[in-house]
Structures are given as C-alpha cells and as structure tokens.
Amino acid sequence: MTIAVIGILLALLLPSLARAKGAARRATCVNNLRQINLSVTMYADDHADSLRSATNDYHIYFNYRKLIQPDLSKNGSSTNDHLFACPADNFDCTMPAITDFFYPEIPVGRGFHQLKQTAYSSYIFNGEAANAANTRVTQKAFSSVKQPSRLVLVCELSGAIGLSAHDRKKPQQFNNAKNVMGFVDGHVSFIPIYWNGENVPVQYNPPTGYEYIWFDK
C-alpha cells in the first residue's frame, strides 16, 4: 500500500518538477540573451551606431561574438562562455533541419553551443550580408531602424530554423515554436516563431500578428 501511494505521488510530482526545470532553463536563457543583447547595443554605441565585420557575409551570424567580447567584460562577465550556452540547447545537430541550415559545413554533435560552426553559441545575430535594401541589422544604424521593438537583434538559433529548445515533445521543425528573442530596442521576449513549412523562418518576415520581424522594411 505504501509503495502504491509513493508511486501515485511520484506520478503527480514528476510533471511539476519537469515544468519547474523547464522554467529555470528558460529563465537562464532569457538572462543570457539580455546580457548579450545589451553588449551588442554597447558595441554599436562605440562603432558608428552599427555592428559590422570585415566581410559582412553569413559568418556575422556567429562572429559577432568576437566583436562584443570587450563589452561583455564591461558588463561583469570576464569569463562568459556560459552566456552563449542556453541550458535547454541539447539539439541533435545531425537532424536534417539543422544540417540543411549549415550545408555544406555539416555539423556533428549535440547542442548548438558545442559546434565550431556557431562559435560555440546557442544564439545568432540577425545579420548576414546586407541585401540591396539593407533591411537586416548588419551595417544598419540602430537609430535608423523603423521598428526597433520588433526587429530581431540576437536570438536563439533554434528560432531562425523553426525549432524550440523549450518544447521537448517536438524535436523537429514546427510552426509557432517558442524561442527567446532579443530586439533592437533592448527587450527580450519568449515568443512563437512562424514557419511556413518549407523555408527556415529567418528567410522571411512572419504574417501579421507575430511580435517580431527579421527584415525592417
């Protein structure tokens, strides 16, 4: 009888414990991104109100990390590798959605923060080579952004692909995968990301009703 009661109590408690662990991982991810987002803004304040690299190609997605290291130190993070590792980031990086994103540099391992391709980071800068309208953030003056509260600055890499580290029941791409997203105006939110079922979300703005944009048109 005692064993049966214990079993019932465990069955009731385990979901609550899992939710508590998930909430703690998400809170850490939010705090990480707030510090990273702030450091990107601080870097821009000292560099003509923008963030740019020598090449401004797709590597800016990840090499922004090197640019903001001094500003992270100003924020009190002299050893800051932990800031770039979301504790919920445990993706199987051999899954097709991820290998397609990185092709031809095929990743192997678990967790974006374990990959050389990402500069060992769970987070991505909304950069890449600026297109003709220069609507992403690379080389764009932050003060010229038309929708700073909606334009993504730095976010979980999973959000750019259509995955969620915070929904363990859905390891594949799915519409409205919730991710921690940082914005040009400095705020950070945990919000759903639109996926059209074909192309990765970072390639297009979502329909009306979503709280973010990738392109500031």
Side-chain angles (χ1 to χ4, degrees), residues 24-105:
R25 287 191 291 262
R26 187 165 61 251
T28 298
C29 188
V30 168
N31 288 332
N32 287 352
L33 197 54
R34 279 179 178 151
Q35 292 189 60
I36 294 169
N37 212 61
L38 173 61
S39 295
V40 170
T41 301
M42 291 173 63
Y43 178 92
D45 287 343
D46 294 332
H47 295 83
D49 195 29
S50 65
L51 191 152
R52 61 189 70 206
S53 69
T55 57
N56 285 321
D57 62 9
Y58 72 93
H59 290 99
I60 192 66
Y61 277 153
F62 307 112
N63 68 16
Y64 78 94
R65 176 178 175 174
K66 297 178 182 178
L67 299 178
I68 68 171
Q69 288 292 343
D71 294 292
L72 282 171
S73 298
K74 292 177 188 176
N75 291 335
S77 302
S78 56
T79 303
N80 50 55
D81 285 351
H82 66 283
L83 286 179
F84 292 88
C86 172
D89 172 14
N90 190 34
F91 291 102
D92 175 3
C93 294
T94 64
M95 62 185 290
I98 294 174
T99 57
D100 288 349
F101 183 82
F102 284 101
Y103 184 84
E105 300 176 12

Side-chain angles (χ1 to χ4, degrees), residues 37 41 137 142 145 147-149 151-153 182-187:
N37 212 61
T41 301
V137 188
F142 287 13
V145 172
Q147 301 182 68
S149 66
L151 182 63
V152 175
L153 184 61
F183 297 87
V184 173
D185 73 344
H187 86 278

Side-chain angles (χ1 to χ4, degrees), residues 117-154:
Q117 289 97 327
T118 68
Y120 306 102
S121 176
S122 301
Y123 308 104
I124 187 173
F125 174 70
N126 185 23
E128 197 174 4
N131 63 16
N134 195 20
T135 58
R136 285 191 185 271
V137 188
T138 305
Q139 297 194 83
K140 189 177 185 69
F142 287 13
S143 59
S144 72
V145 172
K146 300 180 182 68
Q147 301 182 68
S149 66
R150 299 188 68 225
L151 182 63
V152 175
L153 184 61
V154 186

